[in-house]
């Protein structure tokens, strides 16, 4: 199966368990791989036959910007569920990073894989 991906989608949101984190917006970065059969859009050359990564990105941006979760695990699960439920995707691998969350590291976060 082919992969459609979105790399380093950066979105500001309220995320964290500490009081100070609940009062600010922080950046999270998403890397997403979605299994999708690209043979039909490759043959038709028609955007309607694709897994439209712009539509996926816009949907996730709207969701994440409005979200106020404590855990990156919760946010990652909800983003994966949106992709599986709202787009023609049977499998998703999603990496959600919180840059600068731990001193001395580039970022921390979770990577999950979910199937329909």
């Amino acid at each position: 199966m082919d992969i459609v991906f979105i790399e380093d989608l950066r979105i500001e949101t309220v995320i964290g368990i500490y009081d100070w984190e609940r009062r600010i917006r922080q950046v999270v970065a998403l890397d997403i791989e979605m299994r999708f059969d690209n043979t039909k859009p490759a043959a038709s050359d028609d955007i309607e036959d694709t897994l439209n990564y712009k539509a996926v990105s816009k949907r996730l941006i709207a969701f994440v910007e409005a979200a106020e979760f404590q855990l990156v695990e919760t946010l990652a699960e909800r983003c994966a569920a949106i992709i599986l439920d709202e787009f023609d995707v049977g499998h998703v691998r999603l990496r959600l990073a919180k840059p600068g969350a731990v001193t001395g590291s580039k970022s921390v976060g979770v990577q999950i894989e979910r199937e329909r």
Side-chain angles (χ1 to χ4, degrees), residues 1-4 34-39 88-91:
M1 186 63 66
D2 305 316
I3 300 289
V4 174
M34 300 163 284
R35 287 191 190 156
F36 186 81
D37 184 354
N38 283 317
T39 55
D88 189 20
V89 174
H91 179 272

Side-chain angles (χ1 to χ4, degrees), residues 9 38 51 54 70-71 78-79 86 93-94 99 101-102 108:
L9 180 62
N38 283 317
L51 171 56
K54 184 174 183 178
Q70 293 187 45
L71 301 177
R78 300 289 164 69
C79 288
E86 298 181 19
R93 175 183 292 147
L94 186 142
V102 173
V108 296

Side-chain angles (χ1 to χ4, degrees), residues 86-113:
E86 298 181 19
F87 298 90
D88 189 20
V89 174
H91 179 272
V92 63
R93 175 183 292 147
L94 186 142
R95 181 176 182 270
L96 192 149
K98 192 173 169 186
V102 173
T103 302
S105 73
K106 182 178 177 181
S107 64
V108 296
V110 297
Q111 179 172 304
I112 63 174
E113 291 188 49

Side-chain angles (χ1 to χ4, degrees), residues 19-79:
D19 289 340
W20 67 268
E21 289 181 298
R22 310 305 301 157
R23 295 188 300 268
I24 65 167
R25 298 184 70 74
Q26 299 181 71
V27 171
V28 294
L30 299 173
D31 290 326
I32 306 157
E33 293 182 2
M34 300 163 284
R35 287 191 190 156
F36 186 81
D37 184 354
N38 283 317
T39 55
K40 184 176 180 182
S44 71
D45 201 28
D46 186 344
I47 188 74
E48 296 302 318
D49 293 333
T50 66
L51 171 56
N52 188 328
Y53 47 78
K54 184 174 183 178
V56 174
S57 298
K58 288 177 78 170
R59 176 65 175 99
L60 291 176
I61 289 167
F63 174 75
V64 173
E65 283 181 341
E68 293 191 7
F69 294 109
Q70 293 187 45
L71 301 177
V72 294
E73 291 86 349
T74 307
L75 183 55
E77 287 288 344
R78 300 289 164 69
C79 288

Side-chain angles (χ1 to χ4, degrees), residues 7-25:
E7 185 176 352
D8 201 26
L9 180 62
R10 293 182 173 254
I11 310 166
E12 287 189 359
T13 191
V14 174
I15 188 84
I17 59 170
Y18 300 110
D19 289 340
W20 67 268
E21 289 181 298
R22 310 305 301 157
R23 295 188 300 268
I24 65 167
R25 298 184 70 74

